[in-house]
Amino acid sequence: VQLVESGGGSNSVQAGGSLRLSCAGSGYTYSRYCMGWFRQAPGKEREGVAVIDSDGLAKYADSVKGRFTISKDSAKNILYLQMDSLKAEDAGTYICATTGSCGVTTDQALGAGRYWDWGRGTQVTVS
């Protein structure tokens, strides 16, 4: 099983700009699992950004609500994160993860401890 993120990289995005991240999975059936995006900035803890459950219901951190959109293509096993109106504080390593259930509340869904498998991340720089 493997999760591989893409869409970030060495190029920075200007504040106010947009970026779309992808997470391709092998060994998973995205339609059955809870999938999430997390981010980690240097010196900070990993934080949940957005999750989407097996039925397509999405939950977001307050800091990104209205600016980020999580989606998935279950046929292709690809998870997306569309990031608009980017801010400097959105910078960090974005990592996708999967688990069996997102839980009930948003706090549960965004908690990193419930996730089983993780990708290696893709860097997002906002200038």
Side-chain angles (χ1 to χ4, degrees):
V1 294
Q2 191 175 19
L3 297 168
V4 180
E5 302 91 341
S6 61
S10 59
N11 294 325
S12 67
V13 178
Q14 285 192 339
S18 298
L19 196 63
R20 189 176 81 158
L21 305 182
S22 300
C23 174
S26 60
Y28 297 97
T29 302
Y30 276 22
S31 60
R32 296 181 182 175
Y33 293 96
C34 172
M35 307 292 300
W37 283 100
F38 294 76
R39 67 185 179 194
Q40 189 162 19
K44 294 187 177 181
E45 291 189 358
R46 187 170 296 185
E47 63 171 338
V49 173
V51 302
I52 186 166
D53 70 11
S54 58
D55 294 325
L57 179 65
K59 293 182 171 69
Y60 298 91
D62 288 343
S63 59
V64 306
K65 201 173 294 182
R67 300 188 298 120
F68 289 12
T69 303
I70 189 171
S71 63
K72 63 180 178 179
D73 185 332
S74 296
K76 297 180 179 179
N77 271 8
I78 300 177
L79 179 72
Y80 300 102
L81 184 67
Q82 177 66 40
M83 305 187 293
D84 299 318
S85 302
L86 281 162
K87 304 176 181 179
E89 52 263 41
D90 293 321
T93 300
Y94 281 71
I95 310 157
C96 68
T98 183
T99 187
S101 169
C102 290
V104 177
T105 67
T106 299
D107 283 346
Q108 289 174 341
L110 295 177
R114 73 186 300 116
Y115 287 78
W116 304 332
D117 293 316
W118 297 83
R120 301 186 70 175
T122 186
Q123 184 67 35
V124 172
T125 305
V126 183
S127 59

